[in-house]
Amino acid sequence: MTGRLNSAQPYALGLYRIVVGLLFLCHGAASLFGVLGGAKGTDGGTLEAGTWPGWYAAVIQLVCGGLVLLGLGTRAAAFLAAGSMAYAYFKVHQPTALWPMENGGEPAAMFSWAFLLLVFTGSGAFGLDRLLAKRSTQERQPAAEPVAV
């Protein structure tokens, strides 16, 4: 049983990455474009461009969420996303109360830890990272010499 679970690990990790990236991307899209209910606290609207820290966080959510979803530059994008969510938790949520249940910081804390895991695990299966790495490896291998007849 353990062997089967271990062999499925890259696929489970790939699906995990896709879901986490999509959810993060949706937060950014909601804040920047007013879709999916819009930005929090705007009655379905968008954040004003350049406002600190919300608009910048939304750009990070959109871009890093998309990169993680695609599995492209996963570790770097996840590192930036994890850091932005840690910042959000400690600067925006934690000053109002200690526990995430009290301060509304559960999503920030969960996203931060979810992305931190991806920093260490990489993209798993289904990612463009792996596809590009395979292609690069194949291009670097010397072509087989023709056989003399």
Side-chain angles (χ1 to χ4, degrees), residues 49-75:
T51 56
W52 179 260
W55 185 82
Y56 293 94
V59 170
I60 290 171
Q61 290 167 358
L62 184 72
V63 173
C64 291
L67 290 171
V68 169
L69 171 67
L70 295 172
L72 187 60
T74 302
R75 290 176 192 258

Short mmCIF file of all heavy atoms in Angstrom, two decimals, residues 49-75:
data_model
loop_
_atom_site.label_atom_id
_atom_site.label_comp_id
_atom_site.label_asym_id
_atom_site.label_seq_id
_atom_site.Cartn_x
_atom_site.Cartn_y
_atom_site.Cartn_z
N ALA A 49 -5.56 51.30 -8.17
CA ALA A 49 -4.20 50.97 -8.59
C ALA A 49 -3.17 51.70 -7.73
O ALA A 49 -3.29 52.89 -7.47
CB ALA A 49 -4.00 51.32 -10.06
N GLY A 50 -2.18 50.94 -7.28
CA GLY A 50 -1.07 51.50 -6.54
C GLY A 50 -1.29 51.64 -5.04
O GLY A 50 -0.38 52.08 -4.34
N THR A 51 -2.47 51.29 -4.54
CA THR A 51 -2.70 51.42 -3.10
C THR A 51 -1.91 50.35 -2.34
O THR A 51 -1.86 49.20 -2.75
CB THR A 51 -4.19 51.31 -2.73
OG1 THR A 51 -4.71 50.08 -3.21
CG2 THR A 51 -4.98 52.46 -3.30
N TRP A 52 -1.30 50.79 -1.24
CA TRP A 52 -0.47 49.90 -0.41
C TRP A 52 -1.28 49.42 0.77
O TRP A 52 -1.97 50.20 1.38
CB TRP A 52 0.78 50.64 0.06
CG TRP A 52 1.65 49.79 0.92
CD1 TRP A 52 1.70 49.82 2.28
CD2 TRP A 52 2.54 48.77 0.50
NE1 TRP A 52 2.58 48.87 2.73
CE2 TRP A 52 3.11 48.21 1.65
CE3 TRP A 52 2.90 48.26 -0.74
CZ2 TRP A 52 4.03 47.18 1.60
CZ3 TRP A 52 3.82 47.24 -0.78
CH2 TRP A 52 4.38 46.71 0.37
N PRO A 53 -1.20 48.15 1.11
CA PRO A 53 -0.50 47.06 0.44
C PRO A 53 -1.40 46.24 -0.47
O PRO A 53 -0.94 45.36 -1.17
CB PRO A 53 -0.01 46.21 1.62
CG PRO A 53 -1.09 46.34 2.64
CD PRO A 53 -1.60 47.77 2.48
N GLY A 54 -2.72 46.54 -0.44
CA GLY A 54 -3.70 45.69 -1.12
C GLY A 54 -3.49 45.48 -2.60
O GLY A 54 -3.54 44.35 -3.09
N TRP A 55 -3.26 46.55 -3.35
CA TRP A 55 -3.12 46.41 -4.79
C TRP A 55 -1.88 45.60 -5.14
O TRP A 55 -1.92 44.73 -6.01
CB TRP A 55 -3.06 47.79 -5.45
CG TRP A 55 -3.05 47.71 -6.95
CD1 TRP A 55 -4.13 47.57 -7.76
CD2 TRP A 55 -1.90 47.76 -7.79
NE1 TRP A 55 -3.73 47.52 -9.08
CE2 TRP A 55 -2.35 47.64 -9.12
CE3 TRP A 55 -0.54 47.88 -7.56
CZ2 TRP A 55 -1.49 47.64 -10.21
CZ3 TRP A 55 0.32 47.89 -8.65
CH2 TRP A 55 -0.16 47.77 -9.96
N TYR A 56 -0.77 45.85 -4.45
CA TYR A 56 0.46 45.11 -4.70
C TYR A 56 0.30 43.63 -4.34
O TYR A 56 0.79 42.75 -5.04
CB TYR A 56 1.64 45.74 -3.95
CG TYR A 56 1.97 47.11 -4.49
CD1 TYR A 56 1.41 48.25 -3.90
CD2 TYR A 56 2.79 47.27 -5.59
CE1 TYR A 56 1.69 49.51 -4.41
CE2 TYR A 56 3.07 48.52 -6.10
CZ TYR A 56 2.51 49.64 -5.51
OH TYR A 56 2.78 50.88 -6.02
N ALA A 57 -0.41 43.38 -3.25
CA ALA A 57 -0.69 41.99 -2.86
C ALA A 57 -1.52 41.30 -3.93
O ALA A 57 -1.27 40.14 -4.27
CB ALA A 57 -1.41 41.96 -1.52
N ALA A 58 -2.48 42.01 -4.50
CA ALA A 58 -3.33 41.43 -5.54
C ALA A 58 -2.53 41.11 -6.80
O ALA A 58 -2.76 40.07 -7.44
CB ALA A 58 -4.49 42.38 -5.87
N VAL A 59 -1.58 41.95 -7.15
CA VAL A 59 -0.72 41.68 -8.31
C VAL A 59 0.12 40.43 -8.05
O VAL A 59 0.24 39.55 -8.91
CB VAL A 59 0.18 42.90 -8.65
CG1 VAL A 59 1.24 42.53 -9.68
CG2 VAL A 59 -0.67 44.05 -9.14
N ILE A 60 0.69 40.33 -6.84
CA ILE A 60 1.46 39.14 -6.47
C ILE A 60 0.56 37.91 -6.52
O ILE A 60 0.96 36.85 -7.03
CB ILE A 60 2.11 39.31 -5.09
CG1 ILE A 60 3.22 40.34 -5.16
CG2 ILE A 60 2.63 37.97 -4.56
CD1 ILE A 60 3.78 40.75 -3.82
N GLN A 61 -0.66 38.02 -6.03
CA GLN A 61 -1.59 36.89 -6.04
C GLN A 61 -1.90 36.45 -7.46
O GLN A 61 -1.89 35.25 -7.77
CB GLN A 61 -2.88 37.26 -5.31
CG GLN A 61 -2.71 37.41 -3.83
CD GLN A 61 -3.89 38.08 -3.17
OE1 GLN A 61 -4.86 38.49 -3.81
NE2 GLN A 61 -3.82 38.22 -1.85
N LEU A 62 -2.15 37.41 -8.34
CA LEU A 62 -2.49 37.08 -9.72
C LEU A 62 -1.30 36.44 -10.44
O LEU A 62 -1.43 35.37 -11.04
CB LEU A 62 -2.95 38.33 -10.47
CG LEU A 62 -3.43 38.12 -11.90
CD1 LEU A 62 -4.78 37.42 -11.90
CD2 LEU A 62 -3.51 39.44 -12.63
N VAL A 63 -0.14 37.08 -10.38
CA VAL A 63 1.03 36.60 -11.12
C VAL A 63 1.57 35.30 -10.52
O VAL A 63 1.76 34.30 -11.24
CB VAL A 63 2.13 37.68 -11.18
CG1 VAL A 63 3.41 37.14 -11.78
CG2 VAL A 63 1.63 38.90 -11.96
N CYS A 64 1.82 35.29 -9.22
CA CYS A 64 2.37 34.08 -8.60
C CYS A 64 1.37 32.94 -8.62
O CYS A 64 1.76 31.78 -8.82
CB CYS A 64 2.81 34.37 -7.17
SG CYS A 64 4.26 35.44 -7.09
N GLY A 65 0.10 33.24 -8.44
CA GLY A 65 -0.92 32.20 -8.53
C GLY A 65 -0.94 31.57 -9.91
O GLY A 65 -1.02 30.35 -10.06
N GLY A 66 -0.82 32.39 -10.95
CA GLY A 66 -0.79 31.87 -12.32
C GLY A 66 0.45 31.02 -12.58
O GLY A 66 0.37 29.96 -13.19
N LEU A 67 1.61 31.50 -12.11
CA LEU A 67 2.84 30.73 -12.30
C LEU A 67 2.80 29.40 -11.56
O LEU A 67 3.19 28.36 -12.11
CB LEU A 67 4.05 31.55 -11.85
CG LEU A 67 4.42 32.74 -12.73
CD1 LEU A 67 5.49 33.61 -12.05
CD2 LEU A 67 4.87 32.29 -14.10
N VAL A 68 2.31 29.42 -10.34
CA VAL A 68 2.20 28.18 -9.56
C VAL A 68 1.18 27.25 -10.22
O VAL A 68 1.41 26.04 -10.34
CB VAL A 68 1.84 28.47 -8.09
CG1 VAL A 68 1.45 27.21 -7.35
CG2 VAL A 68 3.02 29.14 -7.39
N LEU A 69 0.07 27.78 -10.66
CA LEU A 69 -0.94 26.97 -11.36
C LEU A 69 -0.34 26.25 -12.55
O LEU A 69 -0.57 25.06 -12.75
CB LEU A 69 -2.10 27.88 -11.81
CG LEU A 69 -3.14 27.28 -12.73
CD1 LEU A 69 -3.95 26.20 -12.02
CD2 LEU A 69 -4.06 28.36 -13.26
N LEU A 70 0.46 26.96 -13.33
CA LEU A 70 1.08 26.38 -14.52
C LEU A 70 2.29 25.51 -14.19
O LEU A 70 2.73 24.73 -15.02
CB LEU A 70 1.51 27.48 -15.49
CG LEU A 70 0.39 28.31 -16.09
CD1 LEU A 70 0.96 29.49 -16.87
CD2 LEU A 70 -0.50 27.46 -16.98
N GLY A 71 2.83 25.69 -12.99
CA GLY A 71 4.04 24.96 -12.64
C GLY A 71 5.25 25.53 -13.35
O GLY A 71 6.14 24.82 -13.78
N LEU A 72 5.29 26.85 -13.47
CA LEU A 72 6.38 27.54 -14.18
C LEU A 72 7.09 28.45 -13.19
O LEU A 72 6.49 29.39 -12.67
CB LEU A 72 5.81 28.35 -15.33
CG LEU A 72 6.80 29.01 -16.27
CD1 LEU A 72 7.69 27.97 -16.94
CD2 LEU A 72 6.05 29.79 -17.33
N GLY A 73 8.35 28.15 -12.90
CA GLY A 73 9.06 28.91 -11.88
C GLY A 73 8.41 28.73 -10.52
O GLY A 73 8.32 29.66 -9.73
N THR A 74 7.96 27.52 -10.26
CA THR A 74 7.14 27.23 -9.09
C THR A 74 7.82 27.62 -7.78
O THR A 74 7.21 28.27 -6.94
CB THR A 74 6.79 25.72 -9.05
OG1 THR A 74 6.09 25.39 -10.25
CG2 THR A 74 5.92 25.39 -7.85
N ARG A 75 9.05 27.23 -7.60
CA ARG A 75 9.72 27.49 -6.31
C ARG A 75 9.87 28.99 -6.06
O ARG A 75 9.61 29.46 -4.96
CB ARG A 75 11.07 26.79 -6.26
CG ARG A 75 10.95 25.28 -6.16
CD ARG A 75 12.33 24.63 -6.21
NE ARG A 75 12.23 23.20 -6.40
CZ ARG A 75 12.38 22.31 -5.43
NH1 ARG A 75 12.59 22.69 -4.20
NH2 ARG A 75 12.28 21.02 -5.70
#
